[in-house]
Amino acid sequence: MEIALTNVAKRFNYSWIFKEINLLLEQGSTCAIIGHNGSGKSTLLQIISGVLTPSKGEITFSLNGAKVEPYQHISIATPYIELIEEMTFKEIYEFQQAFKKFKLSFEECNSLFDFKGVKHKTINQYSSGMKQRLMLLLAVAADTKVLLLDEPTANFDEEGVEWYHNLIEKYTNNRTVVVSSNNKEEYKFCNEIIDITKFKS
């Protein structure tokens, strides 16, 4: 799926977060949105996801040359999306399938999750790192053209960071991947860098 941002700008109340962003994300491209904390990285990612609308400008989504609604084609993992913590891993996997097709089976996801001891526990018993791993895994396992990630390794130890890179390498071929981060380790595979601070005025 191709994503085009044309003169996109966003403000909250009277403060402009960023202005005049023009960006074309072609199918299979990898892009990092960088900038200091509070610079608007997550806001731009939410606009790309369709969660927020721009204050000015336009964003369009095209598949094989035809405009499409993005929701079935995008998966996202961010700190501001909450998991249903009363569910088990299997329950939330099945719940997510009601909204999106998955290209990975539950058995494959369970093997990739690599925390066999929590298989039957509810998510509220997971550590922050395990919750982060689950969010990433659900986003990657969805059969979508676009993968959006916000600070994907924020709660990870060194082993978790390695797990993240293995997941990206194995399951994002020909997918458009956008990473919002100020940690180079999280976006070192990206072939395009957007510094959000350059669009402040």
Side-chain angles (χ1 to χ4, degrees):
M1 186 166 69
E2 185 177 275
I3 304 172
L5 284 73
T6 306
N7 299 325
V8 165
K10 185 65 179 179
R11 71 177 179 186
F12 293 112
N13 297 321
Y14 297 102
S15 299
W16 287 97
I17 308 303
F18 47 74
K19 295 180 178 178
E20 303 299 320
I21 294 180
N22 291 283
L23 177 63
L24 178 64
L25 296 171
E26 296 180 335
Q27 182 66 43
S29 62
T30 53
C31 176
I33 304 168
I34 67 171
H36 57 76
N37 291 341
S39 58
K41 300 186 303 295
S42 295
T43 300
L44 179 56
L45 198 74
Q46 289 181 73
I47 287 174
I48 294 172
S49 73
V51 172
L52 292 177
T53 56
S55 303
K56 287 186 178 179
E58 182 183 22
I59 179 167
T60 58
F61 303 85
S62 304
L63 191 60
N64 300 323
K67 288 186 178 181
V68 296
E69 292 297 325
Y71 309 108
Q72 290 297 317
H73 304 286
I74 290 177
S75 54
I76 184 169
T78 75
Y80 45 82
I81 292 179
E82 296 184 1
L83 297 165
I84 304 173
E85 298 206 345
E86 293 76 20
M87 289 185 173
T88 64
F89 179 21
K90 187 173 185 179
E91 287 170 341
I92 201 162
Y93 173 88
E94 292 172 345
F95 176 75
Q96 294 267 358
Q97 281 191 310
F99 302 96
K100 282 186 172 72
K101 293 180 180 179
F102 273 48
K103 60 181 179 181
L104 297 180
S105 68
F106 173 72
E107 288 73 21
E108 289 173 305
C109 287
N110 190 48
S111 177
L112 287 167
F113 190 49
D114 200 27
F115 283 107
K116 305 300 189 298
V118 300
K119 185 175 181 180
H120 301 294
K121 293 182 178 180
T122 52
I123 295 166
N124 55 19
Q125 299 179 69
Y126 289 14
S127 68
S128 58
M130 290 161 63
K131 291 175 183 177
Q132 181 87 357
R133 188 175 288 212
L134 178 56
M135 279 194 289
L136 277 169
L137 184 55
L138 290 170
V140 169
D143 189 8
T144 58
K145 302 288 186 183
V146 180
L147 180 62
L148 306 179
L149 307 175
D150 193 358
E151 298 182 353
T153 68
N155 295 308
F156 282 177
D157 55 17
E158 188 174 330
E159 181 184 350
V161 173
E162 184 179 355
W163 177 88
Y164 160 73
H165 283 295
N166 289 336
L167 198 69
I168 293 295
E169 183 178 357
K170 191 171 182 180
Y171 296 106
T172 60
N173 185 44
N174 202 35
R175 296 171 82 176
T176 303
V177 182
V178 184
V179 183
S180 166
S181 175
N182 53 19
N183 178 355
K184 288 184 179 179
E185 185 63 27
E186 295 183 330
Y187 62 83
K188 64 183 183 181
F189 61 89
C190 292
N191 54 29
E192 185 173 2
I193 308 293
I194 303 297
D195 185 349
I196 196 75
T197 61
K198 294 181 179 180
F199 301 93
K200 288 293 185 181
S201 59

